[in-house]
Amino acid sequence: MEPIAVVGLAGRLPGAPTIDAFWRNQRDGVESVSRFSPQQLADAGWPAEMVAHPDYVPAAAVIEDADHFDAEFFGYTEEQAKISDPQQRIFAETVWHALEDTGHDPSRFDGAVGVYAGQFANKYLPLNLLANAQFRGSLSAFSARPYNDKDFLATRAAYLCDLRGPAMTVQSACSTSLVAIHLACQALLGHECDMALAGGVALPVPLIGGYPVVAGGIFARDGHCRPFDAASSGTVPGYGVTVVALRRLSDALADNDNIRALILGSAVNNDGSAKFGFNAPSMQAQAEVIATAHTVAGVPSESIGYIEAHGTGTPLGDPIELAGLTKAFNTGERGYCAIGSTKANIGHLDAAAGAAGFARAVLALEHAEIPPSINYDAPNPALLLERTPFYVPTTARPWPHTETPRRAGVSAFAVGGTNAHVVLQEAPTPQATAPNPRDRHLLVLSARTGKALAEAAGNLADRLDRPDDLDLADVAHTLQVGRREFPVRRYLVCRDRAEATAALRTLARPGTVDTSGDIDARQVVFMFPGSASHRPDAAAAVYRSEPLFAQEVDRCAELARPLLGYDLRGLLFPSTWDGPQPEHDDPRGAPTAAFSLQWALARLWQSWGVRPDAMIGEGDGEYVAACLAGVIDLADAIDATAAAAEIRTRTATGTVTDAYASEFAAKVARYELKPPQVPYISAATGTWIDPEDAVDPAHWARHLREPARFTDGLRELADEPGRVLLEVGPGSTLTETVARQETAKRLVALPSLAPADGNRTDLAALLDAVGTLWQSTVDIDWHAFRGTSQPRRVSLPGYPFQRTRYWIGPDSGSYEPLGLEEASWTSH
């Protein structure tokens, strides 16, 4: 079986708004169980007589702001947000974050993305909405079911995130989310989808609370979950959501995904009826599902170093679970495999419990560290721990390599008997990648609002501030290809992480993101400055770092060599050219070199997805425009550029006579001219080129003779709003000309390369131009932009949702009888 790669994780868990925070808490042994005052519980809607009862434990592992949601982000109206089960809402947000964690934008993902997930029982509809008279009398009551029912959890997320693979709700009580992961793996192996999201969510109502301790129940008397401990008395309710993203390993490797771990195999079964009762666990069935998963994975039990157990901390359940594990492992080795349960830290998340435990095991593999098992002092004697392969680690400890890769198992068992087990292995060592030839990197950020963008900048700065080996090239690539492109956009050009962090901190300051001057570019216009822009060594750094640019310059040089008798690269890049020196007094050299540079730069822009809607050239810059428009082929355009330059130097007054113009027209007549495929403005007329003129040699003679009408052309371009003029050549002469034209104030212009003042490198200017165009909503082909480098996708902070409270409460303000269909427990 092909392994399944874990390529994304996201979650909101007790004490941890992010997966990174969750791991820190696990590694540091933090218990995230909250205790509530009587007033807090009364404010949440718990009846006073329940809170005051001596058998009521005011503790649970909850998450903050579970009643908040970014409705605008997902296109919800206020009414839709209010009638939606909070479980659906936070699940959709977490699916979005899981997708972002993969470094793939689903709108650009080449394949189908599936969703497999389940949730805790919906309490919001019966306890909140139907207990509210205003809701019951509104039209919303007729449309509330799709916003609340379990059936719509996965499909709602698929709709909101535009995912086209299978989307199905999975329900098997406490094993729900691990079963969902198993089904997602099966779908990937069956090629039903190419990425799968799997997980679960649990948000009981009220959103804070405690629980009654009843004889034979599963909840702890003291509000602490103590898996495998002699003092264990049960679990604690946990709230939260976890979503994992999965791909076939071959696909993940091909896309340089951030592989956190591998799933080698998984299995699901059911207890059947051979047990004490419906609610009871079955040692035999648990052993069978674990052994089956080992067989599917093809690994010996002796190679597994950690088990993330179901581990509810009940006096009955823990010994049965350990007995089942021991039978499945079927080895004489003792005490070599660590065992733990995240329920000790975050309580029992019901439908989301399996995915939370799965995340803990994945993170342990990724960080090569086994987290401690908290609330553990001495083993439950019924475990017979000394006779098993297992031990309970009470401190975090390194997880070193042995003769086999690090491996872990994850179990989830459920009331009703559906059991699941997954075998994990550490991620393969990333393959060496081609180094990035650029000495600077382009970081792009976007959001729906300026406030969200500033928050995103601050979160990314915090991430880059960590002392690790995160490569800025990988960060830039992930932001470019792995994030949805929203209307509010900003970019940074940075050399290293320190420079990036400082720039991001500036961007994160309140009020920095002002969108009033943002441009929505409807068209890009290429401006070619012609031979007047020639500057030795311009774009030398671009020639070294951008293979396509170098390829096009080399192509022009080879075409010009027979014509000139020397290599024009010596004129373009004299500081680094080690061949024969060209003739510096040749009047044809500089114009031909200038043409070659501008042609190559235009081709580079086109390769990055920036294709001109129109063009304009200054002087012989029009030859580049004509060539790019398909009027004249490259060899003939170079020939025409050289011929025109030679003719101009033969005129003592600088005015081209009719004789010289006729000579030039005769040369052009030998070329195969075609109508333009891209409109451009001719300097000869100051207006759009006529297709008949473009193929008429007389037009080219006129262009050579008459003064250029570049400013007239700018006025023509200014007639259409939303045009961005990109100067495709060295310096910023044309950009400055545009800025001086009163009639062209509606135009925005920017240079491709740096001016000659030495304050910026050409590569920095080029990346700045890419960023400016992208910020102006011009589409960039980021995969082409990366060139020959092979950056990896990396885990970065997710979108900073701008959440607001959306809530409808019961008219009474109290949840009686707490949604139980029988008399409340206090009556017994």
Side-chain angles (χ1 to χ4, degrees):
M1 186 182 84
E2 179 179 7
I4 299 298
V6 181
V7 296
L9 282 177
R12 285 175 65 188
L13 294 159
T18 66
I19 281 293
D20 286 344
F22 172 67
W23 170 248
R24 288 194 296 272
N25 288 346
Q26 298 299 308
R27 179 198 62 204
D28 297 341
V30 175
E31 184 183 53
S32 299
V33 176
S34 301
R35 290 188 171 264
F36 305 103
S37 69
Q39 187 60 53
Q40 286 177 300
L41 294 168
D43 291 344
W46 287 87
E49 66 272 20
M50 294 196 70
V51 172
H53 197 282
D55 289 336
Y56 182 84
V57 179
V62 302
I63 63 173
E64 294 183 357
D65 296 331
D67 52 358
H68 286 53
F69 178 58
D70 192 339
E72 183 182 4
F73 182 91
F74 289 103
Y76 272 55
T77 65
E78 180 181 1
E79 181 183 45
Q80 288 170 331
K82 282 185 173 181
I83 68 171
S84 177
D85 182 358
Q87 295 184 112
Q88 276 199 19
R89 302 188 320 211
I90 72 164
F91 182 75
E93 289 183 345
T94 308
V95 163
W96 188 270
H97 279 163
L99 286 165
E100 288 188 316
D101 197 57
T102 69
H104 289 277
D105 173 8
S107 68
R108 292 177 278 176
F109 181 72
D110 185 17
V113 181
V115 185
Y116 297 81
Q119 67 175 65
F120 181 69
N122 169 250
K123 298 289 187 179
Y124 189 65
L125 179 62
L127 299 188
N128 284 44
L129 300 182
L130 296 180
N132 183 284
Q134 183 177 352
F135 168 81
R136 292 197 308 271
S138 71
L139 292 176
S140 297
F142 293 96
S143 58
R145 181 176 174 247
Y147 293 94
N148 286 271
D149 199 293
K150 289 180 176 184
D151 286 7
F152 305 103
L153 178 72
T155 53
R156 177 71 64 183
Y159 171 75
L160 294 175
C161 301
D162 192 22
L163 310 179
R164 309 298 178 90
M168 56 185 70
T169 299
V170 179
Q171 294 298 155
S172 61
C174 316
S175 62
T176 289
S177 52
L178 201 64
V179 171
I181 290 171
H182 167 79
L183 294 175
C185 292
Q186 299 303 308
L188 287 166
L189 293 170
H191 290 260
E192 295 175 14
C193 55
D194 304 289
M195 179 188 292
L197 301 166
V201 58
L203 283 180
V205 173
L207 295 176
I208 68 167
Y211 56 89
V213 175
V214 293
I218 66 167
F219 291 118
R221 290 185 299 271
D222 58 359
H224 298 284
C225 182
R226 307 176 185 277
F228 313 114
D229 188 69
S232 63
S233 61
T235 191
V236 175
Y239 299 43
V241 56
T242 303
V243 177
V244 305
L246 309 172
R247 296 191 74 190
R248 292 180 291 271
L249 176 59
S250 56
D251 292 340
L253 290 172
D255 278 346
N256 269 350
D257 287 349
N258 177 37
I259 302 175
R260 292 174 175 266
L262 300 179
I263 297 176
L264 299 183
S266 62
V268 170
N269 73 358
N270 190 272
D271 295 344
S273 61
K275 56 182 182 178
F276 292 115
F278 181 77
N279 294 349
S282 165
M283 184 275 288
Q284 180 63 29
Q286 291 179 14
E288 287 173 358
V289 80
I290 296 165
T292 302
H294 289 182
T295 301
V296 173
V299 298
S301 59
E302 290 82 2
S303 69
I304 296 172
Y306 175 69
I307 290 292
E308 174 65 25
H310 187 61
T312 54
T314 59
L316 174 67
D318 284 0
I320 289 177
E321 177 169 10
L322 209 63
L325 276 164
T326 302
K327 182 173 184 178
F329 269 54
N330 190 29
T331 177
E333 293 192 33
R334 297 289 178 255
Y336 69 88
C337 181
I339 189 169
S341 170
T342 193
K343 293 178 180 66
N345 307 78
I346 63 170
H348 189 354
L349 270 66
D350 197 89
F358 179 91
R360 186 181 198 240
V362 166
L363 292 163
L365 288 165
E366 185 177 24
H367 293 275
E369 193 171 4
I370 294 176
S373 187
I374 64 171
N375 300 333
Y376 178 86
D377 295 314
N380 180 343
L383 297 175
L384 304 176
L385 189 63
E386 69 282 357
R387 302 182 190 178
T388 76
F390 308 105
Y391 70 94
V392 181
T394 55
T395 58
R397 58 185 65 194
W399 193 351
H401 278 288
T402 61
E403 63 275 8
T404 59
R406 286 185 287 267
R407 291 178 182 143
V410 184
S411 291
F413 311 129
V415 169
T418 294
N419 309 302
H421 191 81
V422 174
V423 178
L424 293 167
Q425 181 172 290
E426 65 179 306
T429 302
Q431 297 176 349
T433 60
N436 194 310
R438 297 173 185 151
D439 62 358
R440 283 169 173 77
H441 306 283
L442 174 62
L443 274 59
V444 295
L445 296 171
S446 73
R448 291 194 182 275
T449 67
K451 184 175 180 294
L453 192 141
E455 191 175 331
N459 292 343
L460 183 57
D462 291 342
R463 176 64 188 89
L464 296 181
D465 246 352
R466 292 190 209 162
D468 56 23
D469 59 353
L470 189 65
D471 191 326
L472 194 60
D474 295 340
V475 173
H477 175 68
T478 302
L479 293 171
Q480 291 159 6
V481 304
R483 292 291 188 270
R484 183 66 55 87
E485 296 175 321
F486 295 113
V488 180
R489 303 181 180 190
R490 292 297 181 268
Y491 72 91
L492 308 167
V493 176
C494 309
R495 280 174 294 199
D496 53 36
R497 284 174 61 173
E499 188 173 291
T501 302
L504 288 165
R505 296 270 184 237
T506 300
L507 187 58
R509 291 173 186 162
T512 300
V513 182
D514 179 8
T515 60
S516 59
D518 286 4
I519 306 160
D520 183 6
R522 301 176 190 173
Q523 291 188 350
V524 176
V525 179
F526 282 5
M527 299 191 297
F528 299 102
S531 56
S533 68
H534 175 66
R535 186 178 80 242
D537 288 324
V542 181
Y543 184 80
R544 291 191 297 270
S545 69
E546 307 303 324
L548 188 137
F549 176 81
Q551 173 186 315
E552 293 295 332
V553 168
D554 295 347
R555 180 183 172 198
C556 290
E558 292 305 315
L559 289 171
R561 189 193 299 273
L563 180 67
L564 301 177
Y566 54 82
D567 197 314
L568 59 78
R569 286 170 290 193
L571 292 176
L572 284 169
F573 316 120
S575 296
T576 56
W577 179 248
D578 57 3
Q581 291 300 311
E583 299 177 26
H584 289 281
D585 57 351
D586 181 0
R588 304 169 301 168
T592 309
F595 174 96
S596 303
L597 186 148
Q598 290 165 52
W599 164 265
L601 195 54
R603 295 292 290 164
L604 180 63
W605 276 116
Q606 286 183 314
S607 76
W608 290 346
V610 182
R611 296 176 177 84
D613 297 284
M615 296 179 285
I616 185 172
E618 167 75 354
D620 54 4
E622 186 166 332
Y623 298 154
V624 189
C627 188
L628 212 62
V631 172
I632 184 171
D633 72 22
L634 183 59
D636 290 340
I638 291 172
D639 184 59
T641 300
E646 186 174 24
I647 287 174
R648 288 194 183 93
T649 61
R650 284 155 44 190
T651 61
T653 63
T655 301
V656 177
T657 64
D658 288 342
Y660 284 136
S662 298
E663 177 188 329
F664 186 69
K667 175 179 276 290
V668 173
R670 294 195 294 269
Y671 305 148
E672 182 184 358
L673 302 179
K674 300 175 182 178
Q677 301 303 302
V678 180
Y680 66 90
I681 288 181
S682 172
T685 62
T687 189
W688 298 104
I689 187 71
D690 186 282
E692 294 179 358
D693 285 346
V695 298
D696 186 357
H699 167 78
W700 293 97
R702 179 184 175 189
H703 177 273
L704 184 65
R705 285 194 62 193
E706 298 184 5
R709 299 175 61 183
F710 183 75
T711 54
D712 291 342
L714 292 181
R715 282 191 287 272
E716 187 80 31
L717 288 169
D719 287 344
E720 180 74 30
R723 282 184 170 135
V724 173
L725 276 55
L726 177 65
E727 185 166 355
V728 185
S732 56
T733 304
L734 300 187
T735 302
E736 293 165 10
T737 300
V738 173
R740 291 193 298 268
Q741 300 301 309
E742 190 65 33
T743 56
K745 288 297 184 185
R746 297 171 73 187
L747 297 173
V748 176
L750 65 148
S752 292
L753 301 176
D757 58 16
N759 292 332
R760 264 196 324 168
T761 68
D762 283 323
L763 181 59
L766 182 62
L767 297 184
D768 189 70
V770 175
T772 301
L773 289 173
W774 177 82
Q775 185 171 307
S776 304
T777 69
V778 174
D779 289 334
I780 306 294
D781 184 340
W782 293 116
H783 289 288
F785 177 76
R786 78 184 183 204
T788 58
S789 66
Q790 295 175 308
R792 299 188 179 97
R793 300 170 200 266
V794 292
S795 178
L796 299 174
Y799 188 90
F801 291 118
Q802 304 299 294
R803 299 181 175 108
T804 301
R805 186 173 189 261
Y806 295 99
W807 194 254
I808 294 175
D811 288 334
S812 67
S814 180
Y815 294 98
E816 297 183 51
L818 293 174
L820 299 175
E821 283 142 12
E822 58 190 40
S824 87
W825 65 282
T826 57
S827 67
H828 294 288

